[in-house]
Amino acid sequence: HPDPCHTKVISAVLEMGHNTNMQPKKSKCASKLKANALLLIGLGFLILSVTLPSLWATYYRHLISSELEMTPDSVTFQVWKDNPVPIYIEFFFFNWTNQDDLEKDGSFHIPQLQELGPYRFTEKIERVNVTWNDNNTITYKQVKWWYFDQENSRGSLDDEIVTLNVVSLTAAFTIRDWNYFVRVGVSKTIQMMDQHIHIRRTVRELLFDGYSDRLIDMARSMPAFSNVKVPFDKFGWFYKRNGTSFMDGVFNMNTGVGDIQKIGKLENWNYFTSTDYFPGDCGKVEGTTGQLFPPGQTRTDRVQMF
């Protein structure tokens, strides 16, 4: 019978030998797993570094498009409809200082002009009568208000300006090709009304208040001028434009839904895609009204405005 002590010693030696032989195998396997894991992680980071920029660009474009698209409840529409950003417009006038010398002594004298202004106004624009159409466009009008900014202006609205008599010059230009007898009659009428090539009016009259003129009254009442459209009873560069929507016409604009690159693009104006003011391509209704532009514009991109 073997000695129990010898048996324990032999068992211990065998166990030590067994552990000694297995340890290197386990270490090699673990190292290989770690290497494979690091390789996979590195490969994953490499794939992400290549694809993430393009994925982010795609997501960013989608995010921008979804935010900029104009819908009835979008922020873009609310800001566009009632623009909170202050807009300023400045008017300058050229006062004719030697108007009495125009034909003095039978010779022509070059007009001497004095620049006056700026007369600064705050401009507020609101889009009204907005109609949403099925073809991703909206139809609307716009109302404009102008408020005089005395603090940032050089001068008063009561400043007097000597300038060209636009009414009489327009009348003379209008009848230039009419029947000879009609031209003579209108010419005599202008002389009888003591019309001159220049007038003296205040800034407020020339801009928004307008001023009366006997030629306007005559053109609105005489049958000879029945084919001449005289829409107002006074003349002023912005007469009856303050707080009204009829002067700028009817706009039809793309909302950018479905194609964000078309946002703000005018599809037609007064229900036409072209106007009679200019021939050919110059008369086409193209571009934007200047409030909305598609994203991604660069400094070198050409911008069309109507």
Side-chain angles (χ1 to χ4, degrees), residues 248-302:
D248 287 348
V250 181
F251 299 86
N252 180 256
M253 183 185 72
N254 200 293
T255 62
V257 176
D259 186 356
I260 196 61
Q261 293 301 313
K262 292 183 178 180
I263 187 171
K265 178 180 179 293
L266 274 182
E267 301 295 344
N268 62 68
W269 178 67
N270 283 340
Y271 307 103
F272 290 96
T273 57
S274 62
T275 70
D276 296 331
Y277 299 112
F278 301 98
D281 292 340
C282 295
K284 290 182 178 179
V285 177
E286 294 180 323
T288 75
T289 57
Q291 290 87 28
L292 294 173
F293 296 94
Q297 299 288 307
T298 66
R299 292 179 178 270
T300 58
D301 289 338
R302 299 187 65 180

Side-chain angles (χ1 to χ4, degrees), residues 123-141:
E123 181 178 286
K124 178 177 173 56
I125 304 176
E126 181 183 1
R127 278 80 191 185
V128 296
N129 300 339
V130 177
T131 301
W132 297 87
N133 305 311
D134 295 333
N135 60 346
N136 296 330
T137 66
I138 56 174
T139 303
Y140 66 93
K141 291 184 176 182

Side-chain angles (χ1 to χ4, degrees), residues 11 122 170 240 293:
S11 298
T122 301
T170 302
K240 287 193 175 182
F293 296 94

Side-chain angles (χ1 to χ4, degrees), residues 28-42:
K28 290 180 180 179
C29 184
S31 299
K32 189 174 182 179
L33 288 174
K34 289 180 180 179
N36 290 336
L38 290 174
L39 180 62
L40 290 175
I41 292 173

Side-chain angles (χ1 to χ4, degrees), residues 46-272:
L46 178 62
I47 294 173
L48 284 176
S49 64
V50 173
T51 60
L52 189 59
S54 60
L55 292 175
W56 169 250
T58 302
Y59 172 75
Y60 179 76
R61 286 194 296 268
H62 173 73
L63 180 64
I64 292 297
S65 299
S66 61
E67 289 296 324
L68 289 182
E69 287 178 351
M70 188 178 292
T71 58
D73 56 350
S74 67
V75 176
T76 302
F77 172 68
Q78 299 302 326
V79 173
W80 169 84
K81 184 177 183 296
D82 190 4
N83 187 6
V85 179
I87 303 174
Y88 303 100
I89 183 171
E90 294 181 341
F91 296 96
F92 292 84
F93 287 91
F94 292 92
N95 185 41
W96 192 353
T97 59
N98 66 333
Q99 72 279 4
D100 295 330
D101 297 335
L102 181 61
E103 296 180 354
K104 189 176 181 180
D105 301 328
S107 60
F108 177 78
H109 293 263
I110 297 176
Q112 301 296 317
L113 304 178
Q114 174 193 14
E115 182 181 292
L116 298 179
Y119 299 92
R120 192 180 196 188
F121 287 77
T122 301
E123 181 178 286
K124 178 177 173 56
I125 304 176
E126 181 183 1
R127 278 80 191 185
V128 296
N129 300 339
V130 177
T131 301
W132 297 87
N133 305 311
D134 295 333
N135 60 346
N136 296 330
T137 66
I138 56 174
T139 303
Y140 66 93
K141 291 184 176 182
Q142 57 186 22
V143 180
K144 292 182 179 180
W145 291 270
W146 290 275
Y147 304 96
F148 183 55
D149 183 1
Q150 177 69 72
E151 183 179 353
N152 295 296
S153 299
R154 290 184 179 179
S156 165
L157 293 181
D158 294 319
D159 292 346
E160 290 190 338
I161 308 293
V162 177
T163 184
L164 288 173
N165 188 345
V166 176
V167 176
S168 64
L169 292 176
T170 302
F173 181 81
T174 302
I175 67 171
R176 70 191 186 283
D177 296 325
W178 287 14
N179 180 280
Y180 170 78
F181 296 102
V182 175
R183 295 203 311 270
V184 172
V186 174
S187 179
K188 293 296 183 181
T189 302
I190 292 176
Q191 293 177 8
M192 291 173 58
M193 290 182 176
D194 197 26
Q195 293 279 342
H196 298 280
I197 196 173
H198 58 80
I199 57 170
R200 183 186 297 271
R201 294 290 185 271
T202 63
V203 172
R204 68 171 69 249
E205 288 177 318
L206 291 171
L207 283 178
F208 294 100
D209 289 1
Y211 60 89
S212 300
D213 192 287
R214 294 170 64 186
L215 275 178
I216 295 178
D217 298 334
M218 182 187 71
R220 290 168 62 89
S221 60
M222 288 184 61
F225 289 91
S226 59
N227 61 336
V228 178
K229 185 178 180 180
V230 184
F232 304 122
D233 59 335
K234 293 182 179 181
F235 174 79
W237 295 112
F238 283 76
Y239 181 58
K240 287 193 175 182
R241 287 177 178 262
N242 212 345
T244 60
S245 64
F246 68 92
M247 289 300 298
D248 287 348
V250 181
F251 299 86
N252 180 256
M253 183 185 72
N254 200 293
T255 62
V257 176
D259 186 356
I260 196 61
Q261 293 301 313
K262 292 183 178 180
I263 187 171
K265 178 180 179 293
L266 274 182
E267 301 295 344
N268 62 68
W269 178 67
N270 283 340
Y271 307 103
F272 290 96

